[in-house]
Amino acid sequence: MNPVITALLVLLPLALIMGCAAYLAKRSATGMPVKRTLALNLSCFLVVLLIAGCFAFAVSAEDAATTTAVMTAAEKAASNESMGLGLLAAALVTGLAGIGGGLSVAAGAPAAIAAASEDPKSFGKSLIFVALGESIALYGVVISILILNKLV
């Protein structure tokens, strides 16, 4: 990998984050509004994320252009890294979908129980909302299985 790209990949996001933090520290002493501070933080984060993504794609394209038919030990290690990232992605999909499904069921189930206790005819309608919340977790598991099938 090109050392200039590596240095930019590390130093540029750090410089942007430090500059934004220094600007916010200076402005917070003068009483900058909270919403404006949050908007500035989010915009700086998105810019850093975009720049890091561009560098990552550039490095990935450079690596793809220099590959040969015979894999060395270092290339096999890089292949194992991508497998590790795939496993991490599958874990994140399952975990975050489970958390989202749990939050939606935690909000929907007590309301469904309360509605069913007041009017037993509303049980079927309220059960649909609980099932929709649970389906979020099932979608996460399906996507995780698809990711794992791609890795093997």
Side-chain angles (χ1 to χ4, degrees):
M1 185 175 0
N2 191 351
V4 174
I5 291 177
T6 305
L8 284 176
L9 185 61
V10 173
L11 295 177
L12 191 60
L14 287 175
L16 285 172
I17 290 172
M18 296 303 277
C20 183
Y23 176 74
L24 287 175
K26 180 181 172 185
R27 292 289 294 196
S28 66
T30 62
M32 187 176 188
V34 175
K35 286 184 180 180
R36 185 168 176 188
T37 304
L38 181 63
L40 189 62
N41 272 329
L42 286 176
S43 62
C44 285
F45 175 73
L46 290 176
V47 167
V48 168
L49 187 67
L50 182 67
I51 290 172
C54 289
F55 282 128
F57 284 129
V59 169
S60 174
E62 179 184 342
D63 287 344
T66 59
T67 58
T68 61
V70 180
M71 288 182 66
T72 63
E75 290 170 344
K76 287 181 183 178
S79 155
N80 287 339
E81 276 184 31
S82 65
M83 178 128 181
L85 287 175
L87 293 173
L88 182 64
L92 281 174
V93 165
T94 304
L96 292 176
I99 289 171
L103 289 174
S104 64
V105 169
I113 292 170
S117 66
E118 287 183 16
D119 183 18
K121 293 179 184 177
S122 68
F123 177 73
K125 293 177 185 174
S126 59
L127 188 65
I128 291 172
F129 291 107
V130 175
L132 284 175
E134 188 63 32
S135 68
I136 294 171
L138 292 175
Y139 291 145
V141 170
V142 168
I143 297 298
S144 177
I145 289 171
L146 290 174
I147 290 172
L148 291 174
N149 281 338
K150 235 5 173 170
L151 292 177
V152 176

